[in-house]
Structure formats: structure tokens, C-alpha cells
């Protein structure tokens, strides 16, 4: 196996890496070889929170008692916890600023100020209205929607009390948060306060920093991210199961290819509509293209895949590689996870890189700013940029053949209907099958790709191990795409990959063993699903009682750490891979990995090896089953080489 072949388990990715090398085009995979991470920063032992530093206080092997303090006296524990907290604050800020944008659009839509947008899911609007304390009565949809928009918007600037959607959590969970003083007061307030606490000379007690970080993360999961998911569903429709395709093979040689990349579904929704405009289609034919092929990348892809079945080009580490095919006529980006190197890769080919958010510009890209008041015109302009660029393609075109079928769109509401039926929507069948042992437990497998590990391998292997052991997986973000490319997102995957118990349930209901629940902000759907399972009864009275665990083995973004911390603070055992950001302090790490379980009833774990991570998660699930009195003797099944060969031969 050449070095390139070790970079990914995905053949399309390897194919494009070889092409990039032949074309002399540098990618993140090359840079990962050339530049190793700073070991002091990686373990969280570098503080640059004031200009007397950076102060480096790395662990000293063989001298565990060595004094480790910064110039100001900040201890290694304080520095470690502060760095962790700052990442959580940044991740929360990212999800929540996305949510603010959606809320503003929602409010403008409710007021009828933005032509082209409408309330698509009234039922979900009413549910949200009840949860936000908005009166419904005989009021019009417009009146209710305006109040919902205003209430949601005020959650960002709320100064005291409790964020409203925290009340969706099980009652016991709410009480745990109150007792610890970590119920978020307002979304922006928690981010600002955490940044303040981590400034030089402020909060210098590591436990206090970790719990403040939990309050901030909860403001993400039960605040910003949840608002975002809810309002996006009301505006664009709550996802229902839809067929889709994934991987770079979805790009088309004879059509104009427009790739949408980033996180906010607003512009992609408009593009998905106006692309059918006959004038635009005519323009494409006029340049010799057979049509216009819209595809997605990263979480923007998840959004339009779930609601429209628009094909997905790939996940985070494939963004440059889509351009390397030589057929991407334009890539349009908004916010988050867009690598600056896209501009350089685009130069190797003919691709036009278009930025659209006032918050995110990239040197070398064309900036066409999105304005919801002129959304259809802007969407058309962007599509026409791609159409016009079709003729500039260079001869070095090569599209990998790989695409995989997927069935996606498992919102919390949809799972409810699929399990319980239209008239008695409920999680009861899921609970019953967990209790009778056919389903061993539930896992949320989320997060990114990371160029420091073999692309897609940890995500895919972990999910495969879990379903083989009858653990149903709820997936989002780039890990959902790792599962999709590996063929795990179809109902047929149940018989092929899942254990007999899980497979029998999936086949009875027609569900895949791995449920695609959406983009990064949609991890809030996992919180809602977990809460629904608790409320349906028989599995304890808190999320921490459930036979459930979470993981992000290929995480790279600060957003993932915020997600992990709100999972943990919601009572979930959560395992991360790649690297652990507080490994420079055994004390801080021990607190997160062990002592947190005594207070928030959830805890962190670190295990980069996916098979070992699955083992940790399954052990935790079995521990919870035992505590609930529903444990049956069950053997863990390893997805061993013999089984792999069996599949390859099939
Ligand atoms: Fe060093 Fe303290 Fe300044 Fe951090 S805050 S850089 S530890 S002096
Ligand atoms: S896109 S945050 S790489 S999941 Fe949401 Fe993927 Fe992680 Fe970005």
C-alpha cells in the first residue's frame, strides 16, 4: 500500500489524492505530512491569554512533580481548563451565530418581509410556540410565528432566568443543572461570560471553569443549536426519509457543477428552487452543458440532502478533492469548515470560489453577499457564475466513479411516526426493543474528519462495530457521511452489518441501522430523541439512565468540543478520538473523565482506536442496562477479519 492509499478508506478520495499529486496541486493531506502538530499546544499546555506569554507548561516525563506555572502563576490545571473552555465558547458561538441568522430570517419571513420564504411546517411551529410559551388560541399563523420569532431572538440576549428550551429536558435533568448552577441564562451571555472568565487573572479554579464551560455548552445544545434546527424545520420543512446519493461520483462531466458548502441552509434552499428556472436551464444549454448539477459538501450538504435528496459530494476532507476533479464550475460557501486552501486549489483548476456570508470572506474568492430580501436574484447570479465558467474547464478532468445510495432524513418527529405510526406517534417500540434486548442501546456518532487520522476510518469502523453489537446509531455531520459512503445508511445494511436483534427490528420497521439525523446543529435532534425515550418510560427518568453513549472519533472543530460537552452535561458518556485537549493536565482530565459522572452524571472518554472506543461505549451501555435491571448475558461480537472477507467476497 502506498502512502497515499493509507490516507483514507474511501477509494474516491484516494483516486483524487493521486490526481492532485499528478496535477501538482497541494492539499490538506500534503500539509498534514509536512507539518506536525505542536505537542505543547496539542496537550493544552500553552497559554497565550496575555502578552507576557505565550507561557508553555508541558508535562515533563519522569518529573511529574515539576513546577508548572505561567508568569502570572496560572497553574497547568488552570491553563488546561481555560483552553478547553475557550474552545467550547468558540464552538457555542459558531452554532449560535448561525442560529441567530436563521432566527432573524424566520422573523422577517413571519412578518412577510422576505419574498420567497414561507412557513412550511405549521405543526412544528405550534409545538415550538407551546414550548416557548407563545399563546396559540385562535390567532393566525402569522401572529403566532411573529411571537415565536421574537421569543427565540430574545433567547440570545436574555440576561437571567433559564433559557426556555431547557424545559424540554427530562425534569430530573433540569434539576441536576439547577443544583449545579449550570442552567444557561442566555445564549450570548454564556459565551461572553466564559470568554471573560478565561481572560488573564479571572477564574483560576479549574473545576469552576469546567462547569462554566458546561453551562455555555448547554446554551448551545438546548439553546442555539436547538433553535436553529427547530426554525429551519418550520421554514424549510421537517425532514422525512428521502433517498440520496453520496460521494464524488455524483459530479457530472457533461453538466455544470455547482457545489454548495458550509452550514447555513438558507441560500442552498433558494438555489435548490431557482435552479429549475427555465431561463437558467437555457443558459446552461447555451454553453454546451446538458443541465446544472447541484451537489453539497459538509453540513450544507446534509441540510439539502435531507430536505430535497440533493446528492452529496463528500465530507470535510473531500472539499478540496471535489475541485481536483476539474469539473466543479463553482463552489459557493457560507460559514464554518471552509478551508482557506480552497482558493489555492481552485487556482489549479478553473473553479470559481464564491463566498456569500458577510461574516466569512476568503482571499482570492469572489464575494457575492447573500441578502435574504433579494434571495432569488442572488441565487440566480451565483448559478450563472457557475454556468459561465463551464467553458473554462481545463482538459485534466477525472471524476471518480464511486457513489453510494443512502436513505436519510430521520428527524426526531419522523422516527416517532415511523416507530409508532401516524396516529400514535411514539418511541414505545424503540423502548420495548431496548428493554427486551433486541436493541442493546443507542449511540450518537457525530463530528468531523481530521487530517491527522485515516479519513473516514474511525467513524466507519466505530459505527460498524456498534451496529454489529445491536447498538442503533444516530449520526450527524461528517460522520453521517462516513457511514453513508460505507453503505450503512440503507435499510438493507441492517441484514448485512447489524447484529440479529437490531437487524430484526430494523427490518420490521423498515429503518436503516444507522439513522442520519442531519447537520452539526441537528445534534439537538439527538437530545430530543433521548428525551423522548426517557419520557416514553421504562428506561429510567433521566438521559443519564439510558443505555446510550456518544462519540466523535474524527473531531477537529471547536464546535465538536461544544457538542461533546453538552452531551456530557446532558448525562451522556462521550468518547472522542484523535487527540485529547486537556491531556497536559491529569487533574483536569480526571475531572472530566471520572468526577463529572458524580455531578452531571455524564462523563468524557478518550480513545482513538475505533474498536476499543466501541468496547468502551458498549461496556457503558451494558452498565446502564444492568442498573435498569434489563441486562441479559450478551457477548460482544467483533467485526473480525473473517467477517470482513466474507463481506468482500459477497
Ligand atoms: Fe502566561 Fe498567565 Fe499570561 Fe497565560 S495569562 S500567557 S499563563 S502570564
Ligand atoms: S461540517 S464541524 S467538519 S462535522 Fe458540520 Fe463536518 Fe465537523 Fe464541519
Amino acid at each position: 500500500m502506498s502512502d497515499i492509499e493509507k490516507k483514507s478508506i474511501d477509494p474516491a478520495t484516494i483516486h483524487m489524492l493521486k490526481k492532485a499529486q499528478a496535477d501538482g496541486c497541494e492539499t490538506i493531506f500534503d500539509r498534514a505530512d509536512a507539518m506536525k502538530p505542536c505537542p505543547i499546544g496539542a496537550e493544552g499546555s500553552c497559554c497565550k491569554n496575555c502578552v507576557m506569554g505565550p507561557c508553555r507548561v508541558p508535562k515533563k516525563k519522569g518529573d511529574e512533580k515539576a513546577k508548572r506555572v505561567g508568569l502570572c502563576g496560572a497553574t497547568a490545571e488552570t491553563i488546561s481548563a481555560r483552553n478547553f473552555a475557550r474552545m467550547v465558547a468558540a464552538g457555542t458561538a459558531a452554532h449560535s451565530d448561525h442560529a441567530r441568522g436563521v432566527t432573524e430570517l424566520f422573523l422577517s419571513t413571519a412578518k412577510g418581509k422576505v419574498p420567497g420564504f414561507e412557513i412550511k411546517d405549521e405543526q412544528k411551529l405550534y409545538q415550538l410556540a407551546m414550548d416557548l410559551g407563545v399563546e396559540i388560541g385562535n390567532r393566525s399563523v402569522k401572529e403566532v410565528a411573529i411571537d415565536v420569532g421574537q421569543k427565540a431572538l430574545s433567547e440570545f440576549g436574555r440576561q437571567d432566568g433559564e433559557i426556555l428550551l431547557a424545559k424540554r429536558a427530562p425534569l430530573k435533568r433540569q434539576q441536576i443543572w439547577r443544583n449545579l448552577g449550570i442552567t444557561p441564562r442566555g445564549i450570548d451571555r454564556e459565551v461572553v461570560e466564559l470568554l471573560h472568565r478565561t481572560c488573564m487573572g479571572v477564574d483560576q479554579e479549574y473545576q469552576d471553569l469546567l462547569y462554566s464551560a458546561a453551562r455555555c455548552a448547554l446554551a448551545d445544545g438546548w439553546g442555539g443549536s436547538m433553535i436553529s434546527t427547530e426554525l429551519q424545520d418550520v421554514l424549510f420543512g421537517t425532514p422525512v426519509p428521502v433517498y440520496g446519493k453520496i460521494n464524488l461520483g455524483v459530479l457530472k462531466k457533461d453538466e455544470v457543477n455547482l457545489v454548495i458548502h458550509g452550514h447555513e441552509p438558507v441560500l442552498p434552499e433558494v438555489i435548490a428552487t431557482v435552479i429549475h428556472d427555465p431561463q437558467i436551464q437555457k443558459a446552461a444549454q447555451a454553453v454546451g452543458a446538458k443541465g446544472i448539477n447541484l451537489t453539497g459538501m459538509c453540513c450544507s450538504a446534509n441540510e439539502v440532502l435531507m430536505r430535497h435528496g440533493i446528492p452529496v459530494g463528500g465530507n470535510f476532507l473531500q472539499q478540496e478533492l471535489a475541485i481536483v476533479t476539474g469539473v466543479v464550475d463553482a463552489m459557493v460557501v457560507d460559514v464554518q469548515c471552509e478551508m482557506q486552501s480552497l482558493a489555492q486549489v481552485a487556482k489549479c483548476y478553473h473553479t470559481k470560489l464564491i463566498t456569500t456570508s458577510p461574516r466569512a470572506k476568503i482571499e482570492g474568492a469572489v464575494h457575492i453577499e447573500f441578502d435574504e430580501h433579494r434571495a432569488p436574484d442572488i441565487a440566480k447570479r451565483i448559478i450563472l457564475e457557475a454556468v459561465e465558467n463551464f467553458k473554462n474547464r481545463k482538459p485534466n478532468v477525472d471524476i471518480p466513479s464511486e457513489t453510494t445510495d443512502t436513505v436519510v432524513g430521520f428527524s426526531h418527529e419522523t422516527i416517532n411516526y415511523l416507530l409508532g405510526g401516524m396516529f400514535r406517534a411514539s418511541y414505545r417500540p424503540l423502548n420495548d426493543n431496548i428493554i427486551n434486548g433486541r436493541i442493546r442501546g443507542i449511540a450518537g456518532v457525530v463530528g468531523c474528519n481530521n487530517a491527522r487520522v485515516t479519513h473516514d476510518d474511525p467513524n466507519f469502523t466505530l459505527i460498524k462495530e456498534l451496529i454489529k453489537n445491536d447498538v442503533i446509531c444516530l449520526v450527524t455531520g461528517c460522520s453521517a457521511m462516513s457511514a453513508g459512503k460505507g453503505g450503512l445508511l440503507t435499510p438493507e445494511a441492517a441484514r448485512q452489518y447489524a447484529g440479529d436483534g437490531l437487524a430484526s427490528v430494523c427490518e420490521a420497521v423498515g429503518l436503516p441501522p444507522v439513522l442520519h439525523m442531519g447537520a452539526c446543529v441537528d445534534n439537538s435532534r439527538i437530545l430530543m430523541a433521548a428525551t423522548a425515550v426517557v419520557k416514553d418510560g421504562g428506561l429510567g427518568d433521566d438521559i443519564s439512565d439510558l443505555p446510550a453513549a456518544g462519540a466523535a472519533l474524527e473531531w477537529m472543530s471547536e464546535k465538536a468540543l461544544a457538542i461533546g460537552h453538552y452531551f456530557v452535561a446532558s448525562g451522556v458518556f462521550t468518547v472522542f478520538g484523535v487527540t485529547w485537549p486537556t491531556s497536559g493536565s491529569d487533574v483536569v482530565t480526571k475531572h472530566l473523565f471520572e468526577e463529572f459522572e458524580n455531578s452531571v452524571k455524564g462523563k468524557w472518554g478518550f480513545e482513538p482506536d475505533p474498536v476499543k472506543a466501541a468496547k468502551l461505549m458498549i461496556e457503558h451501555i451494558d452498565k446502564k442496562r444492568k442498573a435498569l435491571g434489563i441486562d441479559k448475558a450478551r457477548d460482544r461480537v467483533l467485526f473480525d477479519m473473517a467477517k470482513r472477507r466474507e463481506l468482500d467476497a459477497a
Side-chain angles (χ1 to χ4, degrees), residues 173 176-177 180 182 210-211 213-215 217-218 222 542 563-572 574 596 599-604:
R173 177 71 6 211
I176 289 171
W177 293 338
L180 291 167
I182 59 168
L210 299 179
Y211 288 101
R215 179 161 57 185
L218 289 169
W222 298 86
D542 179 38
I563 293 166
H565 211 41
Y566 74 64
F567 267 37
V568 169
S570 299
V572 182
T574 305
F596 248 46
S599 53
V600 295
K601 311 285 177 209
K603 62 177 178 178
W604 279 98

Side-chain angles (χ1 to χ4, degrees), residues 262-263 298-299 316 337 447-449 476-479 520 556-557 559:
H263 280 78
C298 278
C299 279
F316 176 71
C337 301
C448 323
N449 295 144
T476 60
C478 289
S479 83
C520 296
M556 62 86 199
S557 166
K559 292 181 290 167

Side-chain angles (χ1 to χ4, degrees), residues 91-120:
T92 303
H95 287 146
S96 300
D97 208 34
H98 165 169
R100 187 197 325 276
V102 173
T103 310
E104 286 169 344
L105 173 73
F106 179 86
L107 195 51
S108 300
T109 304
K111 290 178 178 169
K113 287 189 179 165
V114 279
F117 293 96
E118 57 180 340
I119 305 287
K120 285 218 174 106

Side-chain angles (χ1 to χ4, degrees), residues 24-93:
C25 183
E26 185 190 276
T27 69
I28 185 172
F29 293 86
D30 301 310
R31 290 186 290 275
D33 283 341
M35 183 171 61
K36 295 299 166 206
C38 162
I40 302 174
E43 66 169 50
S45 294
C46 174
C47 178
K48 54 182 181 64
N49 294 9
C50 86
V51 295
M52 294 189 286
C55 296
R56 294 171 301 160
V57 292
K59 249 181 173 173
K60 291 199 176 82
K61 263 198 186 142
D63 188 6
E64 274 67 36
K65 295 220 170 91
K67 197 170 167 206
R68 296 168 61 202
V69 292
L71 254 65
C72 64
T75 62
E77 288 71 43
T78 297
I79 290 171
S80 175
R82 271 200 310 224
N83 286 336
F84 179 90
R86 284 209 159 190
M87 290 179 84
V88 169
T92 303

Side-chain angles (χ1 to χ4, degrees), residues 421-584:
M422 198 65 190
F423 300 105
R424 51 182 176 87
S426 112
Y427 274 66
R428 194 69 248 153
L430 178 64
N431 286 27
D432 288 343
N433 280 300
I434 293 174
I435 291 165
N436 69 27
R438 277 197 201 98
I439 296 178
R440 190 175 200 151
I442 307 169
V445 183
V446 308
C448 323
N449 295 144
N450 187 312
R452 299 295 180 194
V453 297
T454 306
H455 170 232
D456 280 343
D457 185 25
N459 284 337
F460 179 68
T461 308
L462 172 70
I463 296 169
K464 217 168 45 169
E465 287 288 328
L466 289 169
I467 60 174
K468 187 72 204 156
N469 285 282
D470 294 319
V471 176
I472 191 166
C473 290
L474 311 179
V475 295
T476 60
C478 289
S479 83
M481 299 184 191
S482 307
K485 282 180 275 174
L488 301 180
L489 296 182
T490 60
E492 296 73 40
R495 188 42 60 204
Q496 195 176 3
Y497 292 100
D500 289 343
L502 175 59
S504 67
V505 177
C506 290
E507 283 176 337
V509 192
L511 282 178
V514 183
L515 301 180
H516 182 300
M517 293 189 87
C520 296
V521 290
D522 295 329
N523 285 309
S524 62
R525 296 189 202 276
I526 299 182
L527 296 178
M528 289 301 292
T531 301
V533 171
V534 172
K535 290 187 175 165
D536 231 289
L539 291 169
D541 50 9
D542 179 38
I543 294 172
S544 64
D545 294 330
L546 299 176
L553 293 197
E554 293 183 45
W555 76 289
M556 62 86 199
S557 166
E558 291 161 319
K559 292 181 290 167
L561 201 69
I563 293 166
H565 211 41
Y566 74 64
F567 267 37
V568 169
S570 299
V572 182
F573 171 47
T574 305
V575 185
F576 269 33
V578 190
T579 184
W580 180 249
T582 69
S583 54

